[in-house]
């Protein structure tokens, strides 16, 4: 699982203490839900900003000039690799359209940038096959293993485009995972079925779209 890969990176950066509890990686997620004129879901544009510890690990050896500034081309190549790897986790993006699960594929040209000690990856997901017009749509970002904690920035992290008749509402999670705050022991998260998913549930927000 890519969540385990991300966790391994964080532990390498943080030392043995980081391996004691979940989560190990923290992401601030932004998203744009894109509908067409017939209210079909055509894409979800996502932007993930990682915690400084994981960011530092992820950009190691990407600065060919050894100046601490990652090469743009290498950052983008890394974004392509990350998006391909995340396919096995359904991109940590769950969606139900009119009550039915939506399966996504990675879109073209993911990008990555590194600023102020944080890595941000921008990518697009595209539904596989026709989904039909949206009546109601529910989207969430989460890792059921809780290796990765997804949060939503305090400003306006989500938006809806392409269909002015539809309404978007953000249901923020009951709790916000703080960077560096580990919430469930690794032994419990990996050894007790459902424990990690139950712990993650309180930290998962939802995007709700309703169309007439």
């Amino acid at each position: 699982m890519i969540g385990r890969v991300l966790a391994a990176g964080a532990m390498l950066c943080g030392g043995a203490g980081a391996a004691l509890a979940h989560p190990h990686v923290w992401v601030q997620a932004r998203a744009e839900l894109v509908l067409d004129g017939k209210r079909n879901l055509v894409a979800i544009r996502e932007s993930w900003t990682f915690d400084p510890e994981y960011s530092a690990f992820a950009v190691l050896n990407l600065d060919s000039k050894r100046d601490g500034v990652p090469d743009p081309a290498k950052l983008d190549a890394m974004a392509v690799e990350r998006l391909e790897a995340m396919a096995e986790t359904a991109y940590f993006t769950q969606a139900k359209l009119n009550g039915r699960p939506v399966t996504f594929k990675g879109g073209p040209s993911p990008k990555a940038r590194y600023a102020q000690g944080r890595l941000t990856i921008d990518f697009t997901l595209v539904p596989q096959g026709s989904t039909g017009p949206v009546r109601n749509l529910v989207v969430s970002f989460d890792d059921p293993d809780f290796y990765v904690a997804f949060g939503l920035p305090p400003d306006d992290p989500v938006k809806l485009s392409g269909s002015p008749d539809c309404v978007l509402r953000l249901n923020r999670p009951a709790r916000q995972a703080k960077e560096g705050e580990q919430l469930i022991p690794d032994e419990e998260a990996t050894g007790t079925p459902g424990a990690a998913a139950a712990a993650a549930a309180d930290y998962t927000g939802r995007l709700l779209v309703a169309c007439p």
Side-chain angles (χ1 to χ4, degrees):
M1 297 288 283
I2 189 65
R4 300 179 192 275
V5 174
L6 294 175
M11 286 185 278
L12 283 172
C13 289
L20 297 178
H22 288 37
H24 295 284
V25 180
W26 292 263
V27 172
Q28 290 289 295
R30 298 178 181 274
E32 179 184 6
L33 310 180
V34 183
L35 308 184
D36 65 14
K38 296 182 179 180
R39 303 195 301 276
N40 297 301
L41 176 66
V42 296
I44 300 180
R45 297 174 183 150
E46 300 189 32
S47 181
W48 294 1
T49 298
F50 292 85
D51 65 88
E53 192 170 46
Y54 176 75
S55 296
F57 166 79
V59 301
L60 281 175
N61 302 321
L62 296 187
D63 56 332
S64 60
K65 297 180 181 179
R66 297 296 185 264
D67 57 0
V69 180
D71 299 1
K74 290 185 177 182
L75 280 172
D76 289 343
M78 179 193 65
V80 172
E81 293 174 359
R82 291 289 194 275
L83 187 61
E84 291 175 350
M86 286 193 298
E88 66 180 273
T89 69
Y91 309 97
F92 298 115
T93 301
Q94 287 72 48
K96 282 192 174 182
L97 194 156
N98 303 335
R100 296 183 177 182
V102 180
T103 302
F104 293 99
K105 61 183 178 181
S109 305
K111 299 288 184 181
R113 46 199 161 90
Y114 185 72
Q116 298 180 334
R118 293 180 181 270
L119 172 69
T120 297
I121 298 179
D122 302 315
F123 60 94
T124 300
L125 301 181
V126 180
Q128 293 189 18
S130 176
T131 60
V134 173
R135 297 191 302 274
N136 55 77
L137 172 66
V138 181
V139 178
S140 62
F141 313 110
D142 69 274
D143 175 11
D145 290 336
F146 210 25
Y147 273 83
V148 184
F150 286 88
L152 298 166
D155 49 8
D156 294 317
V158 299
K159 63 180 181 178
L160 177 67
S161 63
S163 186
D165 294 334
C166 298
V167 177
L168 169 66
R169 186 178 76 189
L170 170 61
N171 281 1
R172 290 189 174 273
R175 301 177 182 177
Q176 179 83 1
K178 299 177 182 178
E179 288 183 356
E181 181 183 24
Q182 295 177 307
L183 300 163
I184 179 172
D186 280 353
E187 183 177 353
E188 180 181 351
T190 58
T192 304
D202 284 344
Y203 298 87
T204 301
R206 286 174 174 78
L207 288 61
L208 310 175
V209 177
C211 297

